[in-house]
Structures are given as C-alpha cells and as structure tokens.
Amino acid sequence: MLSYKESTFNKLISVAVLIIIATVISIMTADAGTKAKKERVRMKMYYSKNDAGERVISIGLTAGSGRKMHGLKNAPVLLETVFNDSTTLLATVETDSSGLVDLYLAQDYKLPVNEDGVAIIMAAYEGDDTYRSASRKLEIVDLELDFNFEIEDSVKYLKVSAGKIDGEGNKLPVEGLEIDIGIQRLYSVLPIGSVETEKDGTGILEVQDDLPGDAKGMLTFVANIEDHDEFGTVTKTATEKWGIPVSYEVKPLPRQLYTDEAPLWMIALVVVTLAGAWYHFFLSVSKLIKLRKAGQERL
Amino acid sequence: MENSGVSISINDFVHNLEKPSKKWYLGVGVLTVIALFGMYALLRQFMEGQIITGMRDNVVWGIYTANFVFFMGLSYAGALISSISQLLRIKWTKPIVRIAELLTVSTLIVGAPFILFCLGRLDRIHYLLLYGRIQSPITWDVIAISTDLVFCIAFLYFTHIRDFAKLRDYPGLNVSNWRKKMYRYLALGYKGTKEQKKYLHQAHDIMAAIIIPTAIIAYSLLSLLFSMSLRPGWHSTIFSPYFVVTAGYSGVALLIVIMWIYRKNRKLETYITNLHFKYMSFALIMLTLIYGYFTFSEYLTDWYNQTETYHQLLHKLYDMNQFGWLSLFHFVFAFVVPIIVIGFPWFRSINMVTIVSLLIVIALWVKRYLIVVPTLETPYIPIQDIRPEYVHYSISWVEWALSISGIAVIVLIFTIASKWAPIIPVSEVADAHNLEKPKLLFKVRNDSTIKSQEDVVV
C-alpha cells in the first residue's frame, strides 16, 4: 500500500502528464484548425485600352468569406499569354496594400493572337499557408474606335466606327456594339448619348449645337466601351470645333473671409489690436530706459 | 497678512545661487539628455516625415496638438496670476508670483513649437509668414502667441530687476565673474531711488495690464482653431471661455505642485506657507466647479440634439473599448476627487491637495487628448481607406519622446532659472507691506465733497 506522500506524488505526476498531453493535443488541434481555416481567394481581371493606345491588365485579389472580404496585399500574381497550347510569361506582379495591381503593356509589344485575333491571358495566384490559390483567364480582341465629324443641312453628326483586328492585322467592322459618347469636362465626362454600330461598324449621333466649349469653341468627344466581354474597356477621344466659345475670365474676388484678400475691417482690427498692445510694450520699455538713465545721473 | 510680518533677506537665498552641487549638475545632465533625445526624435521626423508618427490622413493632429493646447493653458494661468497680483497689489501672492511667471514663460517656450511639429513640411514654416492669410485662425494664433511670449518674457525680467540689483550689490557673492557682469548689466543701474521705483512700478503695471488681455485673447484664439471648424465636438460657441477656464484650472493645479516641490526641496516653509495652499485650494475648488459647469453644458447640448456623427462621437467617448477609460479617468480626477478632497475638511491637507492637483493636471491633459483625437476619428465624410492605422490614432515613440523631452525642458528652465535668481522674489516680498494702493480706472469723489444725494446720483 502506498504511503500518503507516495500517493500524492503519483497524483501530481498523473496530473502533470495529463496537462502535457492536453497541451500537445490543443497545439495540434490549433495547428489543424489553422490549416482548415485557409481563406478563400477571389480574383478579378480586367483589360483596358485608353486613348493613347496604352493597354492595361488590372488584377484585384480579395480574401475572406461572406461579407468579410479584404484586399490581399503583397500577393505574387503570375501573368502569362496562351497561344497554341504553349504559354509565354508576361510578368510576375505583386498586389498593393488594397490587393490591386496594374500591368501596363509596352506600346510595341504584340500579344500573340489566333486567326480570329483573340489573345488569351492567364493570371494565377499560387496561394500559401493562409490563403487558397486562385486563377483567371481572359480572352481579348483588340478593338479600334474612330471618329468622323460631318455636318448635313446645318445638323452635326458624329460618326463613330468600331473595328476589331484579326490575326492578320485586318480591321473588321463590328456590328451591334453599343458605344457611350460624352464630352470631357474639367473633372468628368458629360454623357451626351450612345450609339449602336450598324453592319459597317459605324454608329451615328446627332450632336446638339448649343454645347459650351472652351474659349475657341473646341469640344473633346469621348467614346467609351465599358468592360465588354470581348474587348474589355476601350476609350477614344477627338477634338472638334463644335461648341459655343465661352470666355472663362475669372473676375477678381471680393474681400471676404473665404478669398485671398481679407476684409478691410479685419485688417483694421488686427492692426489696431496689435498697435495697442505693442504701444504699451514700448511704453513700458521706455520706463526702463528712464530708470536706467536715472541710475546713471545718480552716479 | 502672514508674510508681511516675515523679514526676508537676499542672504537666505544666496547659498542656493552660488556654486551648484554635484546633485544639481547630475539633474541638469539627465534633463539635458532627455531633451537631446527629443531633438533626435524631431530630427528623425524631419528627415523621414510624419509617417514615423501616429498621424495619418484623417487624424492629422494627435498628441502634439494636445500638448500644445495643454502647455499654452498652463502659461495662461501663470500670466494671469502674476499680472492680477501686480495690478491689485495682492500681498499674499508675492512669494509665489515668480514661480507663476516662470511657469508662464517655460510652458510658452516649450508649448508653442508643438503645433509646428504637426506640419507635414516643417521646412516651409516661413511660408506661414510670407503667404499666411489673415483670415485664418492659425495666423491669428501665430501672431497672438508670439506677442504673448515676448510680453511674458519682458514681464518676468521686470520682476527680476530689483533682485538682480541686490545680487549685484551683495558683497562676496561667490559666483563666476560673467554672472556678476550679467547681474550688473541686467540690474539697469537700479539703486532704489524714489524716481527709479516709480519708473519700475509704472513699467510693471503697464506690462501686467497688457498681459491679461493678451493671454486671454491668445488662448481664446487657440480655441478658435477648433471651434471655427464644423467638426462634431469642436464646433461650439462656448469653446473660448471653456478653454480659458480649463487653462486657469490646469495652471493653478500645476502651480500648487511646483509650490510644494520648492517648499520641500528648498525648505521655504517660511515664505510659501500653509495659507498659500489654503487660498490656492479655494481657487482650485472654484475652478473645479466652473470647469464642471462648462463641461456639463458642452456635453449636454451635444448629447441632447445629436446628429448621426455626434452620436458616433459620444459613443466613442463612452465606449470602454475606445475612449471610455480615458473619459472616466478625466471625470473622476477632474471633478469627483477634487470636490471630495478639497471640499471636505477631513481630507484637506497640503500633501493631499498637492496629489489631487497633480491628478488634475494629468486629467486635464487627457481632456485635451479627448478633444483632439476622437473628433478627428469621426469625420463627416466617411473614411474610405479601411486600414486601421488610417482610422485609429496611436501614439508613436517619436511623439512620446518629444512630449517627455518637452516636460524635461520645462523642468530644466525652472532648475536653471532658480539657480540664477531667488525663486522667491525677495524685493517684492520685502516691500509687500509698503505696496501702493491699486490704481483705479476712475476717480472717486471724496466723501467730504458730497453735498447732497443729487451729487451722488449725478
């Protein structure tokens, strides 16, 4: 039979062993839990071509579940083009703090395309211990937009033509394409209508003749296709003297609290207050000068 | 009056002004190192930009602005006490006016630069003078604070002239020759003639009279930096008087603490008496009540008629996971504890009043922090960047370093200044019983000349 002390010792050893086992199990479970809670990653990919002909591939990575999605920052994304079952590396890019990254294609770089002019771009994120992998595929055809300004019977017609480039570089008219038309203003584009292209790839919009332009009457027209399944986002601009010349001379602003020059009453108030204060300061200093002189006279 | 019967002599203070002890040098050395560390932090901020502080796009002001408002407030209280004492010829305040004046100048010197540390481009500070708009409250503040600083330094010097003359004439003063020359130069040839006394009194009175409105204007303008904006918690019509009262409250509290330190450290019980603590305690309890009244009015109007943004702000202030603990700390130590300790005679003692005063000073610093940060974290236009550091402000080591070095500089100024001249204004205390009557702004007709009731009415 065990003595009291031995019994207590054995109990303590048993408890210690149980604690160690529980700790190991909890650590393992926690590790397993972490692995099981790998977050899902969503990838979005856009293609856009601006007025200067710059082509941009934009990637957005978000992670999380349900409504609690957040931008996946500093994530490496592999971008490749696919042509005839072979892939060519475009670039490896890294997302910013919001999970976004843009790849600007060089002006002289030609994406490999098939005979229909379709370029295939693949983006892939491999994932890591915390996040799952994600990938996206984009098929893009190069589209060119052109403007033509015509006046018939004093009516102004804006003709916009759309043509897609095939594998041999030929421009083929696109039918049934909806193009938004607007005028560039200081901060944004003012929409004035939209056109749908005909068989010859051209859409016509009648432009009203009372649109205010710059000092010379120039208007900058903007044609835009937004996130099209085949062409992505394409923008084209052109300038024409179709507006009413408006002189934007800035009139001098009055003296107010919100303008550069202060109201006169305020200047007067500040000057009088400061003059009063500093007058008394110098009056006080003059007394000290007299005090010093009085001391010198006494000597 | 308790002090009027006390004979005071420069002899009692000379030993403190002569050769400093090793302990003094050690203290100055430690304070200098802390101050230099603050300079290093400022240099890092200057070189690397405000990214190394906790300030970001939304919370563009933080602990620096809280310090600025806090130190300016302390300076205002010191200026008010010394100026009113001079103008009204109050005898009992004479032994503590120099401490009040030093408090004014040191906190002004340290506090004013703190607003500059908030500037993103400190190298363009001169643009404020070159292109500053007179309509901007910041321009008003720069003008008012710089004027106030010059006036307060001048006032501090005026109160030293007679003591400098005493030190100049003290036989066998064991200080370096350059210090003796400085005493001679700064005494302005004062010999105590009737004519010189008259000029000195006039200069003193004029400066005292002009410092009171200057300090009030400067601190009111400081409040306009906040209340001129439409932000919740700032846009208030009572902010100017509220700031002035808060300034007086914190200043009186700190003055009590400094009085206690000098009284213990320099054994000045003869000059800084129980009566001084008693009167200052009365001032403190009055200010507690006035401050409480203003705070109640401020929060009541915000709470009663709250919009969505005001609601968010008040929720932040009382949520224990956000600013609730700081709000509670402020409430307990700025209202409850002072009323209990000073209001009831059982707790009232010099040590207890000093401890409460120190807690009030800390609580009022917390209040300044609560004015600045929660409001900036609650803008009218929603914060679009969800990064936590853009939404919530946290104090960085650079800001702590500069704040602590600011306190070190104030202590350093006190340490050096009280080694240069007696911390008790010897000449003023000695003449306290000979004080002229305060000057009146209007003439009162002698009773003997009043012939009828009509004369009185007229």
Side-chain angles (χ1 to χ4, degrees), chain B residues 196-217:
Chain B
Q196 283 184 318
K197 275 185 180 175
K198 187 186 85 179
Y199 287 138
L200 190 59
H201 266 110
Q202 285 176 342
H204 220 144
D205 279 352
I206 294 166
M207 280 313 297
I210 199 66
I211 275 178
I212 295 170
T214 307
I216 292 176
I217 290 172

mmCIF file with all atom_site columns, all heavy atoms in Angstrom, chain B residues 196-217:
data_model
loop_
_atom_site.group_PDB
_atom_site.id
_atom_site.type_symbol
_atom_site.label_atom_id
_atom_site.label_alt_id
_atom_site.label_comp_id
_atom_site.label_asym_id
_atom_site.label_entity_id
_atom_site.label_seq_id
_atom_site.pdbx_PDB_ins_code
_atom_site.Cartn_x
_atom_site.Cartn_y
_atom_site.Cartn_z
_atom_site.occupancy
_atom_site.B_iso_or_equiv
_atom_site.pdbx_formal_charge
_atom_site.auth_seq_id
_atom_site.auth_comp_id
_atom_site.auth_asym_id
_atom_site.auth_atom_id
_atom_site.pdbx_PDB_model_num
ATOM 1   N N   . GLN B 1 196 ? 13.466 105.923 -9.530  1.00 0.00 ? 196 GLN B N   1
ATOM 2   C CA  . GLN B 1 196 ? 13.596 104.609 -10.184 1.00 0.00 ? 196 GLN B CA  1
ATOM 3   C C   . GLN B 1 196 ? 12.457 103.673 -9.779  1.00 0.00 ? 196 GLN B C   1
ATOM 4   O O   . GLN B 1 196 ? 11.947 102.919 -10.597 1.00 0.00 ? 196 GLN B O   1
ATOM 5   C CB  . GLN B 1 196 ? 14.946 103.980 -9.808  1.00 0.00 ? 196 GLN B CB  1
ATOM 6   C CG  . GLN B 1 196 ? 16.111 104.587 -10.570 1.00 0.00 ? 196 GLN B CG  1
ATOM 7   C CD  . GLN B 1 196 ? 17.417 103.884 -10.250 1.00 0.00 ? 196 GLN B CD  1
ATOM 8   O OE1 . GLN B 1 196 ? 17.685 103.573 -9.083  1.00 0.00 ? 196 GLN B OE1 1
ATOM 9   N NE2 . GLN B 1 196 ? 18.229 103.663 -11.253 1.00 0.00 ? 196 GLN B NE2 1
ATOM 10  N N   . LYS B 1 197 ? 12.068 103.741 -8.494  1.00 0.00 ? 197 LYS B N   1
ATOM 11  C CA  . LYS B 1 197 ? 10.958 102.904 -8.038  1.00 0.00 ? 197 LYS B CA  1
ATOM 12  C C   . LYS B 1 197 ? 9.692  103.236 -8.818  1.00 0.00 ? 197 LYS B C   1
ATOM 13  O O   . LYS B 1 197 ? 8.923  102.339 -9.215  1.00 0.00 ? 197 LYS B O   1
ATOM 14  C CB  . LYS B 1 197 ? 10.711 103.126 -6.543  1.00 0.00 ? 197 LYS B CB  1
ATOM 15  C CG  . LYS B 1 197 ? 11.591 102.285 -5.652  1.00 0.00 ? 197 LYS B CG  1
ATOM 16  C CD  . LYS B 1 197 ? 11.206 102.480 -4.211  1.00 0.00 ? 197 LYS B CD  1
ATOM 17  C CE  . LYS B 1 197 ? 12.085 101.622 -3.308  1.00 0.00 ? 197 LYS B CE  1
ATOM 18  N NZ  . LYS B 1 197 ? 11.846 101.861 -1.893  1.00 0.00 ? 197 LYS B NZ  1
ATOM 19  N N   . LYS B 1 198 ? 9.490  104.534 -9.021  1.00 0.00 ? 198 LYS B N   1
ATOM 20  C CA  . LYS B 1 198 ? 8.297  104.980 -9.737  1.00 0.00 ? 198 LYS B CA  1
ATOM 21  C C   . LYS B 1 198 ? 8.295  104.437 -11.178 1.00 0.00 ? 198 LYS B C   1
ATOM 22  O O   . LYS B 1 198 ? 7.293  103.871 -11.636 1.00 0.00 ? 198 LYS B O   1
ATOM 23  C CB  . LYS B 1 198 ? 8.257  106.514 -9.769  1.00 0.00 ? 198 LYS B CB  1
ATOM 24  C CG  . LYS B 1 198 ? 6.976  107.086 -10.355 1.00 0.00 ? 198 LYS B CG  1
ATOM 25  C CD  . LYS B 1 198 ? 7.032  108.588 -10.512 1.00 0.00 ? 198 LYS B CD  1
ATOM 26  C CE  . LYS B 1 198 ? 7.697  108.951 -11.819 1.00 0.00 ? 198 LYS B CE  1
ATOM 27  N NZ  . LYS B 1 198 ? 7.780  110.376 -12.085 1.00 0.00 ? 198 LYS B NZ  1
ATOM 28  N N   . TYR B 1 199 ? 9.423  104.568 -11.860 1.00 0.00 ? 199 TYR B N   1
ATOM 29  C CA  . TYR B 1 199 ? 9.509  104.084 -13.243 1.00 0.00 ? 199 TYR B CA  1
ATOM 30  C C   . TYR B 1 199 ? 9.294  102.574 -13.311 1.00 0.00 ? 199 TYR B C   1
ATOM 31  O O   . TYR B 1 199 ? 8.601  102.061 -14.197 1.00 0.00 ? 199 TYR B O   1
ATOM 32  C CB  . TYR B 1 199 ? 10.875 104.438 -13.861 1.00 0.00 ? 199 TYR B CB  1
ATOM 33  C CG  . TYR B 1 199 ? 11.020 105.899 -14.179 1.00 0.00 ? 199 TYR B CG  1
ATOM 34  C CD1 . TYR B 1 199 ? 12.212 106.578 -13.898 1.00 0.00 ? 199 TYR B CD1 1
ATOM 35  C CD2 . TYR B 1 199 ? 9.990  106.626 -14.779 1.00 0.00 ? 199 TYR B CD2 1
ATOM 36  C CE1 . TYR B 1 199 ? 12.363 107.914 -14.186 1.00 0.00 ? 199 TYR B CE1 1
ATOM 37  C CE2 . TYR B 1 199 ? 10.136 107.974 -15.080 1.00 0.00 ? 199 TYR B CE2 1
ATOM 38  C CZ  . TYR B 1 199 ? 11.322 108.619 -14.784 1.00 0.00 ? 199 TYR B CZ  1
ATOM 39  O OH  . TYR B 1 199 ? 11.471 109.938 -15.071 1.00 0.00 ? 199 TYR B OH  1
ATOM 40  N N   . LEU B 1 200 ? 9.908  101.864 -12.342 1.00 0.00 ? 200 LEU B N   1
ATOM 41  C CA  . LEU B 1 200 ? 9.782  100.404 -12.366 1.00 0.00 ? 200 LEU B CA  1
ATOM 42  C C   . LEU B 1 200 ? 8.337  99.975  -12.116 1.00 0.00 ? 200 LEU B C   1
ATOM 43  O O   . LEU B 1 200 ? 7.815  99.072  -12.788 1.00 0.00 ? 200 LEU B O   1
ATOM 44  C CB  . LEU B 1 200 ? 10.708 99.770  -11.319 1.00 0.00 ? 200 LEU B CB  1
ATOM 45  C CG  . LEU B 1 200 ? 10.840 98.243  -11.397 1.00 0.00 ? 200 LEU B CG  1
ATOM 46  C CD1 . LEU B 1 200 ? 11.365 97.804  -12.757 1.00 0.00 ? 200 LEU B CD1 1
ATOM 47  C CD2 . LEU B 1 200 ? 11.754 97.709  -10.313 1.00 0.00 ? 200 LEU B CD2 1
ATOM 48  N N   . HIS B 1 201 ? 7.697  100.663 -11.170 1.00 0.00 ? 201 HIS B N   1
ATOM 49  C CA  . HIS B 1 201 ? 6.293  100.343 -10.901 1.00 0.00 ? 201 HIS B CA  1
ATOM 50  C C   . HIS B 1 201 ? 5.416  100.603 -12.120 1.00 0.00 ? 201 HIS B C   1
ATOM 51  O O   . HIS B 1 201 ? 4.515  99.820  -12.431 1.00 0.00 ? 201 HIS B O   1
ATOM 52  C CB  . HIS B 1 201 ? 5.785  101.167 -9.711  1.00 0.00 ? 201 HIS B CB  1
ATOM 53  C CG  . HIS B 1 201 ? 5.901  100.417 -8.420  1.00 0.00 ? 201 HIS B CG  1
ATOM 54  N ND1 . HIS B 1 201 ? 6.801  100.761 -7.432  1.00 0.00 ? 201 HIS B ND1 1
ATOM 55  C CD2 . HIS B 1 201 ? 5.264  99.325  -7.972  1.00 0.00 ? 201 HIS B CD2 1
ATOM 56  C CE1 . HIS B 1 201 ? 6.700  99.914  -6.443  1.00 0.00 ? 201 HIS B CE1 1
ATOM 57  N NE2 . HIS B 1 201 ? 5.776  99.029  -6.730  1.00 0.00 ? 201 HIS B NE2 1
ATOM 58  N N   . GLN B 1 202 ? 5.699  101.725 -12.776 1.00 0.00 ? 202 GLN B N   1
ATOM 59  C CA  . GLN B 1 202 ? 4.903  102.069 -13.969 1.00 0.00 ? 202 GLN B CA  1
ATOM 60  C C   . GLN B 1 202 ? 5.083  100.999 -15.054 1.00 0.00 ? 202 GLN B C   1
ATOM 61  O O   . GLN B 1 202 ? 4.104  100.522 -15.637 1.00 0.00 ? 202 GLN B O   1
ATOM 62  C CB  . GLN B 1 202 ? 5.326  103.433 -14.516 1.00 0.00 ? 202 GLN B CB  1
ATOM 63  C CG  . GLN B 1 202 ? 4.810  104.596 -13.673 1.00 0.00 ? 202 GLN B CG  1
ATOM 64  C CD  . GLN B 1 202 ? 5.316  105.936 -14.177 1.00 0.00 ? 202 GLN B CD  1
ATOM 65  O OE1 . GLN B 1 202 ? 6.290  106.011 -14.930 1.00 0.00 ? 202 GLN B OE1 1
ATOM 66  N NE2 . GLN B 1 202 ? 4.675  107.004 -13.741 1.00 0.00 ? 202 GLN B NE2 1
ATOM 67  N N   . ALA B 1 203 ? 6.353  100.646 -15.295 1.00 0.00 ? 203 ALA B N   1
ATOM 68  C CA  . ALA B 1 203 ? 6.632  99.627  -16.327 1.00 0.00 ? 203 ALA B CA  1
ATOM 69  C C   . ALA B 1 203 ? 5.938  98.318  -15.972 1.00 0.00 ? 203 ALA B C   1
ATOM 70  O O   . ALA B 1 203 ? 5.326  97.664  -16.832 1.00 0.00 ? 203 ALA B O   1
ATOM 71  C CB  . ALA B 1 203 ? 8.140  99.416  -16.443 1.00 0.00 ? 203 ALA B CB  1
ATOM 72  N N   . HIS B 1 204 ? 6.033  97.973  -14.701 1.00 0.00 ? 204 HIS B N   1
ATOM 73  C CA  . HIS B 1 204 ? 5.440  96.732  -14.214 1.00 0.00 ? 204 HIS B CA  1
ATOM 74  C C   . HIS B 1 204 ? 3.919  96.741  -14.401 1.00 0.00 ? 204 HIS B C   1
ATOM 75  O O   . HIS B 1 204 ? 3.325  95.763  -14.880 1.00 0.00 ? 204 HIS B O   1
ATOM 76  C CB  . HIS B 1 204 ? 5.771  96.630  -12.712 1.00 0.00 ? 204 HIS B CB  1
ATOM 77  C CG  . HIS B 1 204 ? 6.115  95.249  -12.297 1.00 0.00 ? 204 HIS B CG  1
ATOM 78  N ND1 . HIS B 1 204 ? 7.067  94.966  -11.357 1.00 0.00 ? 204 HIS B ND1 1
ATOM 79  C CD2 . HIS B 1 204 ? 5.625  94.065  -12.687 1.00 0.00 ? 204 HIS B CD2 1
ATOM 80  C CE1 . HIS B 1 204 ? 7.137  93.669  -11.199 1.00 0.00 ? 204 HIS B CE1 1
ATOM 81  N NE2 . HIS B 1 204 ? 6.277  93.095  -11.987 1.00 0.00 ? 204 HIS B NE2 1
ATOM 82  N N   . ASP B 1 205 ? 3.308  97.836  -14.019 1.00 0.00 ? 205 ASP B N   1
ATOM 83  C CA  . ASP B 1 205 ? 1.851  97.952  -14.115 1.00 0.00 ? 205 ASP B CA  1
ATOM 84  C C   . ASP B 1 205 ? 1.372  97.876  -15.566 1.00 0.00 ? 205 ASP B C   1
ATOM 85  O O   . ASP B 1 205 ? 0.372  97.217  -15.876 1.00 0.00 ? 205 ASP B O   1
ATOM 86  C CB  . ASP B 1 205 ? 1.375  99.276  -13.502 1.00 0.00 ? 205 ASP B CB  1
ATOM 87  C CG  . ASP B 1 205 ? 1.281  99.175  -11.987 1.00 0.00 ? 205 ASP B CG  1
ATOM 88  O OD1 . ASP B 1 205 ? 1.433  98.052  -11.467 1.00 0.00 ? 205 ASP B OD1 1
ATOM 89  O OD2 . ASP B 1 205 ? 1.070  100.213 -11.331 1.00 0.00 ? 205 ASP B OD2 1
ATOM 90  N N   . ILE B 1 206 ? 2.092  98.586  -16.429 1.00 0.00 ? 206 ILE B N   1
ATOM 91  C CA  . ILE B 1 206 ? 1.690  98.606  -17.851 1.00 0.00 ? 206 ILE B CA  1
ATOM 92  C C   . ILE B 1 206 ? 1.744  97.187  -18.422 1.00 0.00 ? 206 ILE B C   1
ATOM 93  O O   . ILE B 1 206 ? 0.815  96.726  -19.083 1.00 0.00 ? 206 ILE B O   1
ATOM 94  C CB  . ILE B 1 206 ? 2.594  99.557  -18.676 1.00 0.00 ? 206 ILE B CB  1
ATOM 95  C CG1 . ILE B 1 206 ? 2.378  101.006 -18.225 1.00 0.00 ? 206 ILE B CG1 1
ATOM 96  C CG2 . ILE B 1 206 ? 2.317  99.419  -20.167 1.00 0.00 ? 206 ILE B CG2 1
ATOM 97  C CD1 . ILE B 1 206 ? 3.435  101.968 -18.731 1.00 0.00 ? 206 ILE B CD1 1
ATOM 98  N N   . MET B 1 207 ? 2.868  96.496  -18.135 1.00 0.00 ? 207 MET B N   1
ATOM 99  C CA  . MET B 1 207 ? 3.009  95.141  -18.677 1.00 0.00 ? 207 MET B CA  1
ATOM 100 C C   . MET B 1 207 ? 1.941  94.208  -18.106 1.00 0.00 ? 207 MET B C   1
ATOM 101 O O   . MET B 1 207 ? 1.371  93.371  -18.818 1.00 0.00 ? 207 MET B O   1
ATOM 102 C CB  . MET B 1 207 ? 4.392  94.570  -18.362 1.00 0.00 ? 207 MET B CB  1
ATOM 103 C CG  . MET B 1 207 ? 5.499  95.048  -19.269 1.00 0.00 ? 207 MET B CG  1
ATOM 104 S SD  . MET B 1 207 ? 5.123  94.986  -21.023 1.00 0.00 ? 207 MET B SD  1
ATOM 105 C CE  . MET B 1 207 ? 4.882  93.256  -21.284 1.00 0.00 ? 207 MET B CE  1
ATOM 106 N N   . ALA B 1 208 ? 1.687  94.354  -16.801 1.00 0.00 ? 208 ALA B N   1
ATOM 107 C CA  . ALA B 1 208 ? 0.675  93.496  -16.161 1.00 0.00 ? 208 ALA B CA  1
ATOM 108 C C   . ALA B 1 208 ? -0.686 93.726  -16.803 1.00 0.00 ? 208 ALA B C   1
ATOM 109 O O   . ALA B 1 208 ? -1.443 92.777  -17.073 1.00 0.00 ? 208 ALA B O   1
ATOM 110 C CB  . ALA B 1 208 ? 0.615  93.778  -14.667 1.00 0.00 ? 208 ALA B CB  1
ATOM 111 N N   . ALA B 1 209 ? -0.985 95.010  -17.069 1.00 0.00 ? 209 ALA B N   1
ATOM 112 C CA  . ALA B 1 209 ? -2.292 95.353  -17.637 1.00 0.00 ? 209 ALA B CA  1
ATOM 113 C C   . ALA B 1 209 ? -2.446 94.812  -19.057 1.00 0.00 ? 209 ALA B C   1
ATOM 114 O O   . ALA B 1 209 ? -3.551 94.424  -19.458 1.00 0.00 ? 209 ALA B O   1
ATOM 115 C CB  . ALA B 1 209 ? -2.482 96.863  -17.633 1.00 0.00 ? 209 ALA B CB  1
ATOM 116 N N   . ILE B 1 210 ? -1.349 94.799  -19.794 1.00 0.00 ? 210 ILE B N   1
ATOM 117 C CA  . ILE B 1 210 ? -1.459 94.363  -21.194 1.00 0.00 ? 210 ILE B CA  1
ATOM 118 C C   . ILE B 1 210 ? -1.371 92.837  -21.332 1.00 0.00 ? 210 ILE B C   1
ATOM 119 O O   . ILE B 1 210 ? -1.891 92.252  -22.283 1.00 0.00 ? 210 ILE B O   1
ATOM 120 C CB  . ILE B 1 210 ? -0.388 95.076  -22.073 1.00 0.00 ? 210 ILE B CB  1
ATOM 121 C CG1 . ILE B 1 210 ? -0.769 95.022  -23.543 1.00 0.00 ? 210 ILE B CG1 1
ATOM 122 C CG2 . ILE B 1 210 ? 0.989  94.532  -21.870 1.00 0.00 ? 210 ILE B CG2 1
ATOM 123 C CD1 . ILE B 1 210 ? -1.995 95.787  -23.882 1.00 0.00 ? 210 ILE B CD1 1
ATOM 124 N N   . ILE B 1 211 ? -0.727 92.207  -20.348 1.00 0.00 ? 211 ILE B N   1
ATOM 125 C CA  . ILE B 1 211 ? -0.576 90.741  -20.435 1.00 0.00 ? 211 ILE B CA  1
ATOM 126 C C   . ILE B 1 211 ? -1.919 90.033  -20.234 1.00 0.00 ? 211 ILE B C   1
ATOM 127 O O   . ILE B 1 211 ? -2.201 89.024  -20.896 1.00 0.00 ? 211 ILE B O   1
ATOM 128 C CB  . ILE B 1 211 ? 0.464  90.243  -19.401 1.00 0.00 ? 211 ILE B CB  1
ATOM 129 C CG1 . ILE B 1 211 ? 1.860  90.371  -20.005 1.00 0.00 ? 211 ILE B CG1 1
ATOM 130 C CG2 . ILE B 1 211 ? 0.223  88.791  -19.003 1.00 0.00 ? 211 ILE B CG2 1
ATOM 131 C CD1 . ILE B 1 211 ? 2.956  89.972  -19.085 1.00 0.00 ? 211 ILE B CD1 1
ATOM 132 N N   . ILE B 1 212 ? -2.768 90.570  -19.363 1.00 0.00 ? 212 ILE B N   1
ATOM 133 C CA  . ILE B 1 212 ? -4.052 89.891  -19.084 1.00 0.00 ? 212 ILE B CA  1
ATOM 134 C C   . ILE B 1 212 ? -4.895 89.746  -20.355 1.00 0.00 ? 212 ILE B C   1
ATOM 135 O O   . ILE B 1 212 ? -5.255 88.629  -20.737 1.00 0.00 ? 212 ILE B O   1
ATOM 136 C CB  . ILE B 1 212 ? -4.829 90.599  -17.964 1.00 0.00 ? 212 ILE B CB  1
ATOM 137 C CG1 . ILE B 1 212 ? -4.048 90.498  -16.656 1.00 0.00 ? 212 ILE B CG1 1
ATOM 138 C CG2 . ILE B 1 212 ? -6.216 90.000  -17.783 1.00 0.00 ? 212 ILE B CG2 1
ATOM 139 C CD1 . ILE B 1 212 ? -4.582 91.349  -15.532 1.00 0.00 ? 212 ILE B CD1 1
ATOM 140 N N   . PRO B 1 213 ? -5.184 90.848  -21.080 1.00 0.00 ? 213 PRO B N   1
ATOM 141 C CA  . PRO B 1 213 ? -5.962 90.654  -22.317 1.00 0.00 ? 213 PRO B CA  1
ATOM 142 C C   . PRO B 1 213 ? -5.211 89.861  -23.374 1.00 0.00 ? 213 PRO B C   1
ATOM 143 O O   . PRO B 1 213 ? -5.826 89.084  -24.109 1.00 0.00 ? 213 PRO B O   1
ATOM 144 C CB  . PRO B 1 213 ? -6.245 92.080  -22.795 1.00 0.00 ? 213 PRO B CB  1
ATOM 145 C CG  . PRO B 1 213 ? -5.266 92.937  -22.110 1.00 0.00 ? 213 PRO B CG  1
ATOM 146 C CD  . PRO B 1 213 ? -4.942 92.268  -20.810 1.00 0.00 ? 213 PRO B CD  1
ATOM 147 N N   . THR B 1 214 ? -3.891 90.052  -23.434 1.00 0.00 ? 214 THR B N   1
ATOM 148 C CA  . THR B 1 214 ? -3.125 89.312  -24.459 1.00 0.00 ? 214 THR B CA  1
ATOM 149 C C   . THR B 1 214 ? -3.253 87.806  -24.230 1.00 0.00 ? 214 THR B C   1
ATOM 150 O O   . THR B 1 214 ? -3.473 87.033  -25.169 1.00 0.00 ? 214 THR B O   1
ATOM 151 C CB  . THR B 1 214 ? -1.633 89.717  -24.416 1.00 0.00 ? 214 THR B CB  1
ATOM 152 O OG1 . THR B 1 214 ? -1.545 91.127  -24.513 1.00 0.00 ? 214 THR B OG1 1
ATOM 153 C CG2 . THR B 1 214 ? -0.850 89.087  -25.555 1.00 0.00 ? 214 THR B CG2 1
ATOM 154 N N   . ALA B 1 215 ? -3.110 87.402  -22.965 1.00 0.00 ? 215 ALA B N   1
ATOM 155 C CA  . ALA B 1 215 ? -3.193 85.967  -22.657 1.00 0.00 ? 215 ALA B CA  1
ATOM 156 C C   . ALA B 1 215 ? -4.593 85.429  -22.935 1.00 0.00 ? 215 ALA B C   1
ATOM 157 O O   . ALA B 1 215 ? -4.747 84.344  -23.506 1.00 0.00 ? 215 ALA B O   1
ATOM 158 C CB  . ALA B 1 215 ? -2.813 85.725  -21.200 1.00 0.00 ? 215 ALA B CB  1
ATOM 159 N N   . ILE B 1 216 ? -5.602 86.212  -22.552 1.00 0.00 ? 216 ILE B N   1
ATOM 160 C CA  . ILE B 1 216 ? -6.979 85.741  -22.787 1.00 0.00 ? 216 ILE B CA  1
ATOM 161 C C   . ILE B 1 216 ? -7.259 85.637  -24.281 1.00 0.00 ? 216 ILE B C   1
ATOM 162 O O   . ILE B 1 216 ? -7.826 84.650  -24.761 1.00 0.00 ? 216 ILE B O   1
ATOM 163 C CB  . ILE B 1 216 ? -8.003 86.672  -22.095 1.00 0.00 ? 216 ILE B CB  1
ATOM 164 C CG1 . ILE B 1 216 ? -7.879 86.532  -20.579 1.00 0.00 ? 216 ILE B CG1 1
ATOM 165 C CG2 . ILE B 1 216 ? -9.427 86.339  -22.535 1.00 0.00 ? 216 ILE B CG2 1
ATOM 166 C CD1 . ILE B 1 216 ? -8.760 87.453  -19.782 1.00 0.00 ? 216 ILE B CD1 1
ATOM 167 N N   . ILE B 1 217 ? -6.813 86.662  -25.032 1.00 0.00 ? 217 ILE B N   1
ATOM 168 C CA  . ILE B 1 217 ? -7.030 86.636  -26.492 1.00 0.00 ? 217 ILE B CA  1
ATOM 169 C C   . ILE B 1 217 ? -6.293 85.456  -27.099 1.00 0.00 ? 217 ILE B C   1
ATOM 170 O O   . ILE B 1 217 ? -6.845 84.704  -27.917 1.00 0.00 ? 217 ILE B O   1
ATOM 171 C CB  . ILE B 1 217 ? -6.572 87.971  -27.133 1.00 0.00 ? 217 ILE B CB  1
ATOM 172 C CG1 . ILE B 1 217 ? -7.528 89.099  -26.741 1.00 0.00 ? 217 ILE B CG1 1
ATOM 173 C CG2 . ILE B 1 217 ? -6.492 87.850  -28.644 1.00 0.00 ? 217 ILE B CG2 1
ATOM 174 C CD1 . ILE B 1 217 ? -7.065 90.480  -27.152 1.00 0.00 ? 217 ILE B CD1 1
#
